[in-house]
Amino acid sequence: MQRLVALRQHAEISESTLRSIVFRVLCALHGVSPDEAIVQDCAQDAASVPDELSERVADIVRRAVAQGLGPFVLGALHEGSSDFVHQARRRNRGVYYTPPTIARYMANLTIRGWWAETQRVISEPAEALRVLESVRVLEPACGGGALLVAALEVLRELLLEGYQHVATCSREAISRAPSAIARRVVRHNLIGVDVDPLALEVTARSLWLACCATDKPGSPGALAPSLRQRDFVLDGAPERVDIVLGNPPYDALCPRERARHGAAPRGGERYTRARLAALRRDPDFVDARGGKLNLYELFLCRGASALKPGGRMTMIVPMGVLGDRQAAALRARLLDTLPPRTVDCFPQKDRARDRVFAAAKIATCVIQCERPRDADAAAPAPAIAIRSHPGGRPTTPWGQGLEVMSSALARLDPEGRAIPTCGRADWRALERLLARNPGLQRLGAHARQRQGELNETVYRRRGALTDARRAPGDVEILRGANLTRYCVREASQGTRLFLRSDARSAGARASRLADHRAPRIGFQRSAPQNNFRRLIAAPIAAGLCCFDTVSYVPPSSSRLPLAVILALMNSALYEWWFRLTSSNSKINAYQFQNLPLPQLVEDREAGARARAEAPARRLAALRARRQALGASPRWGLEWAGELADAIVAIEATRTLGARRERAALAPASARVQALLDDVVFALFELDDETAAVIRARAASRA
């Protein structure tokens, strides 16, 4: 694709000319003649294109076809050529072309699943076949038509199989079925919607090319596909359908948020402030109102409303829909009225070659939901099948995934009902933890975290920052990169900065500046999903300020000793629990508040006796008291805090060499950390098998 864009730039040809060439080459590859009326507006320009360029473009297309893109080539080339001219605009709109592998997977998963359920409900083959013949498939924001092309392929196969098994079909009809079915599916079963007329043109040509695989159907115009130029969010679906397949734009509509990221207003005049206000009042979007409006959430709401009973919707959207608190209302709507059947997670976002969208640094998921049939409305929701894939393709077998009832989600996250992204072993470990801790509390009931008091951009703009201490009252500012486990160190990135003493009253968070006068526990507010650890906490000495890349717990907002907070945040159990539902790189307040805490009871006499014992005997005493009391003795939690203080003392004297050493504890610290983790496991009454699962997951980058 880069080579194609480079060729276009080198030859200085128009976008329409490039499409004319590509279309002619595709026709030649499929052995059909193009309709001159479609390309006549480009004929004059096309005639002036050097033969060498045409041949080189043809070579690119041949190789693309050889890689299995087939009718998806035109959409992919449309994306490549459009990027060259409108790359910034497309990035600002959050629009990314659906890879053929993902498009085919989504179409097969959804349509074949819907067909299997239809056959279960309608046992008469001929009647079921008539339902299949009338199925309506909608792709909102169809772009290059990748999902419609994939749907065409699946429906053509299913209809051909159906005709071969229904006795009323003649042999003559079956013999010409592949070509006739393809044309019929395009005309009667597929609906495409997009605001861009050029995208609709590319979709029409892509569908025509898909028909070319079995026939020479004449011009693309003769197919007359049902393609509508309309805004799916503003105008809704043109009709109620059986299946919705979508790759919606990933775009925040909040003007302030877009301006903060330097993005142009999405859609120009289409999304004015007045229309955004109208969208917030639209009853269809009541579950997308929390926080910033995002187009993918609005598309999910519209898609859900467009489904008939028994219909299915599958969309590829950011993974945030699974766990973000901002999406909690939308997630609740799906769980309660449109239960998810399958969730495929693609968490990789840092390596371009291994993520779904090479041009988009975002973790995504394919979520398939089904609207219950009227007769099944009162039935319990089916289990959700969840898989996580290491790369940008669905490669993990279903047998290695997780099946969980939607009713069980509240046990993990009572307020947000986050959908976990873990495997079976992790879920079994969670069930054991919950079973042995019926009185489980949440950390948010005992401590509250705060976001760092300073925003670097705001304070730099106000001239409140300096790169050296120039006055006695200037205060050093920590950023997330300063924090390692148990120790504040020189930042791994960014410039050392100080807050000027004469500028402390500037900014919206000035009221929290007093927090820097007392010691506190800080942790990195952001860590990549494939980082060696997601939770990285350290004690912050009095007299240091924090940028908002750090979150912290001051003594005034915690009923637990700060050393206990430090121990828990750096424990294997907390790291494991956090990863179960984390769907982005942030460590948010609601995730902190949802971290588990065992039910605590006073047990001072046993604690005093245990304190005199060696660590192994003291740990055995903790386990025995936990089992006898049916709750966790408070002295066990205090012991974890003491162990955290011991690690702090070791790490404070440690000198680091290579940068990679920041990720590991000193050997002496690691031994204390292992004991600390055992203490935390004992507080939750976890057996060795469960502890091993938790340790393994916490140590992985998955």
Side-chain angles (χ1 to χ4, degrees), residues 41-381:
D41 59 324
C42 308
Q44 186 173 356
D45 287 340
S48 64
V49 176
D51 292 339
E52 179 185 0
L53 178 62
S54 296
E55 192 57 41
R56 294 173 72 183
V57 171
D59 178 61
I60 292 173
V61 176
R62 287 193 191 97
R63 286 191 284 109
V65 172
Q67 292 171 8
L69 292 180
F72 297 91
V73 171
L74 191 57
L77 293 179
H78 165 61
E79 179 198 32
S81 60
S82 296
D83 279 356
F84 182 76
V85 181
H86 306 299
Q87 188 175 35
R89 185 182 71 182
R90 193 192 67 137
R91 187 184 301 115
N92 285 342
R93 290 175 58 192
V95 178
Y96 299 96
Y97 180 78
T98 313
T101 302
I102 296 296
R104 284 178 168 134
Y105 173 73
M106 292 171 63
N108 273 283
L109 176 74
T110 312
I111 298 174
R112 291 185 184 276
W114 171 87
W115 176 231
E117 184 66 14
T118 299
Q119 290 177 302
R120 183 189 69 81
V121 174
I122 304 174
S123 57
E124 173 56 42
E127 183 181 351
L129 186 58
R130 284 192 292 272
V131 173
L132 180 61
E133 288 178 325
S134 62
V135 66
R136 298 290 277 173
V137 180
L138 168 68
E139 182 184 3
C142 58
L147 288 164
L148 288 180
V149 169
L152 168 58
E153 293 176 347
V154 177
L155 287 174
R156 183 175 57 201
E157 292 175 8
L158 291 178
L159 284 168
L160 182 57
E161 293 171 4
Y163 292 144
Q164 289 172 340
H165 289 88
V166 174
T168 57
C169 294
S170 67
R171 292 186 178 275
E172 181 182 358
I174 294 175
S175 66
R176 65 171 185 268
S179 58
I181 291 172
R183 292 195 299 273
R184 189 190 184 286
V185 167
V186 171
R187 293 188 184 114
H188 300 290
N189 301 108
L190 306 181
I191 309 170
V193 171
D194 205 288
V195 297
D196 183 2
L198 183 57
L200 297 175
E201 179 187 355
V202 174
T203 298
R205 294 182 180 185
S206 297
L207 291 170
W208 180 78
L209 287 168
C211 292
C212 289
T214 57
D215 193 17
K216 301 178 182 180
S219 69
L223 282 176
S226 180
L227 303 177
R228 319 281 178 85
Q229 184 182 353
R230 61 191 288 151
D231 190 307
F232 187 66
V233 170
L234 294 178
D235 305 324
E239 62 181 83
R240 297 193 75 186
V241 297
D242 302 286
I243 291 170
V244 176
L245 299 173
N247 173 17
Y250 309 158
D251 183 21
L253 294 179
C254 175
R256 180 181 299 177
E257 179 74 7
R258 296 188 57 73
R260 186 166 70 89
H261 291 285
R266 197 270 175 197
E269 68 283 355
R270 284 207 318 282
Y271 291 98
T272 61
R273 290 183 183 274
R275 286 192 172 179
L276 287 177
L279 288 178
R280 290 186 182 276
R281 293 193 300 269
D282 191 320
D284 212 10
F285 301 135
V286 65
D287 298 312
R289 291 175 185 168
K292 301 180 290 289
L293 281 179
N294 193 298
L295 273 177
Y296 89 83
E297 295 178 348
L298 303 184
F299 268 73
L300 282 169
C301 290
R302 285 288 196 222
S305 298
L307 280 184
K308 299 175 183 177
R312 296 196 179 198
M313 174 179 68
T314 299
M315 290 197 182
I316 179 166
V317 294
M319 267 183 63
V321 74
L322 303 181
D324 286 5
R325 188 55 53 90
Q326 177 182 312
L330 173 59
R331 192 163 54 248
R333 174 181 176 180
L334 295 179
L335 289 168
D336 295 337
T337 66
L338 206 76
R341 298 295 299 267
T342 61
V343 175
D344 286 276
C345 305
F346 301 91
Q348 176 57 246
K349 70 172 188 175
D350 295 313
R351 296 190 299 272
R353 68 180 183 277
D354 290 333
R355 58 185 182 234
V356 172
F357 304 110
K361 193 174 182 180
I362 186 169
T364 55
C365 68
V366 172
I367 182 167
Q368 178 194 199
C369 303
E370 181 181 30
R371 180 174 295 285
R373 299 173 189 271
D374 295 337
D376 299 332

